[in-house]
């Protein structure tokens, strides 16, 4: 290893040094996005601060490091942003759940109801096999429609849900109630 590589690795370590970071300071409210009446919780300021982002990933890693996780499922699209670094940190494979038609190989799929119409989530047939212990990650839980459909998808493949974790929980929308029977963990709540 060259001295340049050593320096790069040292610089990549988080600088927060074990201090607590208020994650709410890194979530931006955007009113009326993507449509009137929606208060959008924008996680890009969190991604944009290396220490705060590392802190959020470390909080999730600490919670699940002793849970013998076999796979971390990230839900399209912003769930990927948290699932991928967490998977690396926990030494577990990362599995994407995507909307219909986005995955290139054979898929399992589950259709679920939206306010108007339906949508479909898909996962590769070889991504989660029977008995695998799975942690499911998304950025925000609102009504939990997407998360609940993803849990069904994983269970159809034979996976065992160890838990679901999100950065932001919007408690007014009662997503937690829709996931009764599953362990839901959120880093911050509104
Ligand atoms: P839901 O199925 O209602 O829990 O929400 C589906 C997805 O939409 C979530 O995984 C979030 O990524 C996104 N989402 C829903 N509501 C919001 C919101 N108010 N702010 C940011 N993202 C949201």
């Amino acid at each position: 290893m060259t001295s340049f590589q050593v320096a790069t690795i040292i610089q990549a370590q988080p600088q927060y040094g074990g201090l607590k970071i208020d994650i709410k300071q890194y979530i931006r409210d955007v009113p009326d996005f993507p449509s009137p009446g929606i208060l959008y919780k924008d996680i890009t300021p969190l991604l944009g601060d290396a220490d705060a982002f590392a802190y959020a990933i470390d909080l999730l890693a600490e919670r699940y490091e002793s849970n013998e996780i076999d796979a971390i499922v990230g839900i399209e699209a912003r769930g990927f942003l948290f699932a991928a670094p967490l998977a690396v940190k926990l030494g577990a494979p990362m599995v994407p759940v995507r909307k219909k038609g986005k995955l290139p190989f054979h898929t399992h799929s589950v259709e679920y109801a939206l306010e108007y119409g339906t949508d479909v989530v898909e996962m590769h047939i070889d991504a989660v096999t029977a008995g695998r212990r799975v942690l499911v990650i998304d950025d925000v839980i609102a009504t939990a429609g997407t998360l609940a459909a993803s849990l069904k998808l994983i269970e159809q493949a034979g996976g065992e849900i160890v838990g679901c974790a999100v950065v932001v929980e919007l408690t007014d929308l009662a997503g937690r109630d829709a996931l009764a029977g599953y362990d839901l963990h959120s880093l911050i709540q509104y």
Side-chain angles (χ1 to χ4, degrees), residues 33 38-42 75-79 99 112 114 138-147 170 173 175:
F33 182 87
I38 304 285
L39 182 60
Y40 189 86
K41 297 293 184 189
D42 177 17
I75 300 178
E76 181 174 350
R78 289 177 299 279
K99 296 289 169 63
Y112 63 102
L114 298 173
D138 206 353
D139 63 332
V140 175
I141 182 172
T143 64
T146 320
L147 200 42
L170 302 175
L173 293 166

Coordinates of all heavy atoms in Angstrom, one line a residue, residues 33 38-42 75-79 99 112 114 138-147 170 173 175, ligand 1:
F33 N -44.3 19.6 -2.6 CA -43.5 18.8 -3.5 C -43.8 17.3 -3.2 O -43.8 16.9 -2.0 CB -42.0 19.0 -3.4 CG -41.2 18.2 -4.4 CD1 -41.0 18.7 -5.7 CD2 -40.7 17.0 -4.1 CE1 -40.3 17.9 -6.7 CE2 -40.0 16.2 -5.0 CZ -39.8 16.7 -6.3
I38 N -48.4 18.2 -0.1 CA -47.4 17.3 0.5 C -46.2 18.1 1.0 O -45.6 19.0 0.4 CB -46.8 16.4 -0.7 CG1 -47.9 15.6 -1.4 CG2 -45.7 15.4 -0.1 CD1 -48.5 14.5 -0.6
L39 N -45.8 17.7 2.3 CA -44.6 18.3 2.9 C -43.5 17.3 2.7 O -43.4 16.3 3.4 CB -44.8 18.6 4.4 CG -43.6 19.3 5.1 CD1 -43.3 20.6 4.4 CD2 -43.9 19.5 6.5
Y40 N -42.6 17.5 1.7 CA -41.6 16.5 1.3 C -40.4 16.6 2.3 O -39.9 17.7 2.5 CB -41.2 16.8 -0.1 CG -40.3 15.8 -0.7 CD1 -40.8 14.6 -1.3 CD2 -38.9 15.9 -0.6 CE1 -40.0 13.6 -1.8 CE2 -38.1 14.9 -1.1 CZ -38.6 13.8 -1.7 OH -37.8 12.8 -2.2
K41 N -40.0 15.5 2.8 CA -38.8 15.4 3.7 C -37.6 15.1 2.8 O -37.4 13.9 2.3 CB -39.0 14.3 4.7 CG -40.1 14.6 5.7 CD -39.8 15.9 6.5 CE -40.9 16.1 7.6 NZ -40.7 17.4 8.2
D42 N -36.8 16.1 2.6 CA -35.6 16.0 1.6 C -34.4 15.5 2.4 O -33.9 16.2 3.3 CB -35.4 17.3 1.0 CG -34.2 17.4 0.1 OD1 -33.7 16.3 -0.3 OD2 -33.7 18.5 -0.2
I75 N -35.0 -0.3 -0.8 CA -36.2 0.0 -1.6 C -35.9 1.2 -2.5 O -35.5 2.2 -2.1 CB -37.5 0.2 -0.8 CG1 -37.7 -1.0 0.1 CG2 -38.7 0.5 -1.6 CD1 -38.9 -0.9 1.0
E76 N -36.2 1.0 -3.8 CA -36.0 2.1 -4.8 C -36.7 3.3 -4.4 O -37.9 3.3 -4.0 CB -36.6 1.6 -6.2 CG -36.4 2.6 -7.3 CD -36.8 2.1 -8.7 OE1 -37.1 0.9 -8.8 OE2 -36.9 2.9 -9.6
A77 N -36.1 4.4 -4.6 CA -34.7 4.6 -5.0 C -33.9 5.1 -3.8 O -32.7 4.7 -3.7 CB -34.6 5.7 -6.1
R78 N -34.5 5.9 -3.0 CA -33.6 6.5 -1.9 C -33.3 5.5 -0.8 O -32.3 5.7 -0.1 CB -34.3 7.7 -1.3 CG -34.3 8.9 -2.3 CD -35.0 10.1 -1.8 NE -36.4 9.8 -1.5 CZ -37.4 9.8 -2.4 NH1 -37.1 10.1 -3.7 NH2 -38.6 9.5 -2.1
G79 N -34.0 4.4 -0.7 CA -33.6 3.3 0.2 C -32.2 2.8 -0.2 O -31.5 2.3 0.7
K99 N -39.2 -0.9 -8.8 CA -40.5 -0.8 -9.5 C -40.5 -1.7 -10.8 O -39.4 -2.0 -11.3 CB -40.8 0.6 -9.8 CG -41.0 1.5 -8.6 CD -42.3 1.2 -7.8 CE -42.4 1.8 -6.4 NZ -42.4 3.3 -6.4
Y112 N -49.5 -3.8 -5.5 CA -50.1 -3.2 -4.3 C -50.9 -2.0 -4.7 O -50.7 -1.4 -5.8 CB -49.0 -2.9 -3.2 CG -48.0 -1.9 -3.6 CD1 -48.1 -0.6 -3.2 CD2 -46.9 -2.2 -4.4 CE1 -47.1 0.4 -3.5 CE2 -46.0 -1.3 -4.8 CZ -46.1 0.0 -4.3 OH -45.1 0.9 -4.7
L114 N -52.3 1.8 -4.7 CA -52.0 3.2 -4.4 C -53.3 3.9 -4.2 O -54.4 3.4 -4.3 CB -51.3 3.8 -5.6 CG -50.0 3.2 -6.0 CD1 -49.5 3.8 -7.3 CD2 -48.9 3.4 -4.9
D138 N -35.5 1.8 4.0 CA -36.0 2.9 3.1 C -35.6 4.2 3.8 O -35.2 4.2 4.9 CB -37.5 2.7 2.9 CG -37.9 3.4 1.5 OD1 -37.0 4.0 0.9 OD2 -39.1 3.2 1.1
D139 N -35.8 5.3 3.0 CA -35.5 6.6 3.6 C -36.6 7.1 4.5 O -36.3 7.5 5.6 CB -35.1 7.6 2.5 CG -36.3 7.9 1.5 OD1 -37.2 7.0 1.4 OD2 -36.4 9.0 1.0
V140 N -37.8 7.1 4.0 CA -39.0 7.6 4.6 C -40.1 6.6 4.7 O -40.4 5.9 3.7 CB -39.5 8.9 3.9 CG1 -40.7 9.5 4.5 CG2 -38.4 10.0 3.8
I141 N -40.8 6.5 5.8 CA -42.0 5.7 5.9 C -43.2 6.7 6.0 O -43.2 7.6 6.9 CB -42.0 4.7 7.0 CG1 -43.3 3.9 6.9 CG2 -41.8 5.2 8.3 CD1 -43.4 2.7 7.8
A142 N -44.1 6.6 5.1 CA -45.3 7.5 5.1 C -46.5 6.6 5.4 O -46.7 6.2 6.6 CB -45.4 8.3 3.8
T143 N -47.2 6.1 4.4 CA -48.3 5.2 4.6 C -47.8 3.7 4.8 O -48.6 2.8 5.2 CB -49.3 5.2 3.5 OG1 -48.6 4.7 2.3 CG2 -49.8 6.6 3.2
A144 N -46.6 3.5 4.4 CA -45.9 2.1 4.4 C -46.4 1.2 3.3 O -46.1 0.0 3.3 CB -46.1 1.4 5.8
G145 N -47.1 1.7 2.3 CA -47.6 0.9 1.2 C -46.5 0.2 0.5 O -46.5 -1.0 0.3
T146 N -45.4 0.9 0.2 CA -44.3 0.3 -0.6 C -43.5 -0.7 0.3 O -43.1 -1.7 -0.1 CB -43.3 1.4 -1.0 OG1 -44.0 2.6 -1.4 CG2 -42.4 1.0 -2.1
L147 N -43.4 -0.3 1.6 CA -42.6 -1.2 2.5 C -43.4 -2.5 2.7 O -42.8 -3.6 2.7 CB -42.4 -0.4 3.8 CG -41.3 -0.8 4.8 CD1 -40.0 -1.2 4.1 CD2 -41.1 0.3 5.8
L170 N -43.0 9.4 9.3 CA -44.0 10.4 9.4 C -45.2 9.8 10.2 O -46.0 9.0 9.6 CB -44.4 10.8 8.0 CG -43.3 11.3 7.1 CD1 -43.8 11.6 5.7 CD2 -42.7 12.6 7.7
L173 N -49.1 9.5 9.4 CA -49.7 8.6 8.3 C -49.8 7.2 8.7 O -50.2 6.3 7.9 CB -48.8 8.8 7.0 CG -48.9 10.2 6.5 CD1 -47.8 10.5 5.4 CD2 -50.3 10.4 5.8
G175 N -48.0 4.6 9.2 CA -47.3 3.5 8.5 C -47.0 2.4 9.5 O -47.0 1.2 9.1
Ligands
LIG1 P1 -45.3 5.2 1.5 O1 -45.5 3.9 0.7 O2 -46.5 6.0 1.6 O3 -44.7 4.9 2.9 O4 -44.3 6.1 0.7 C1 -43.5 5.6 -0.4 C2 -42.2 6.3 -0.5 O5 -42.5 7.7 -0.9 C3 -41.4 6.4 0.7 O6 -40.5 5.3 0.7 C4 -40.6 7.7 0.5 O7 -39.4 7.4 -0.2 C5 -41.5 8.5 -0.3 N1 -42.3 9.5 0.5 C6 -43.6 9.4 0.8 N2 -44.0 10.5 1.5 C7 -42.8 11.3 1.6 C8 -42.6 12.6 2.1 N3 -43.5 13.3 2.7 N4 -41.3 13.1 2.0 C9 -40.4 12.4 1.4 N5 -40.6 11.2 0.8 C10 -41.8 10.6 0.9

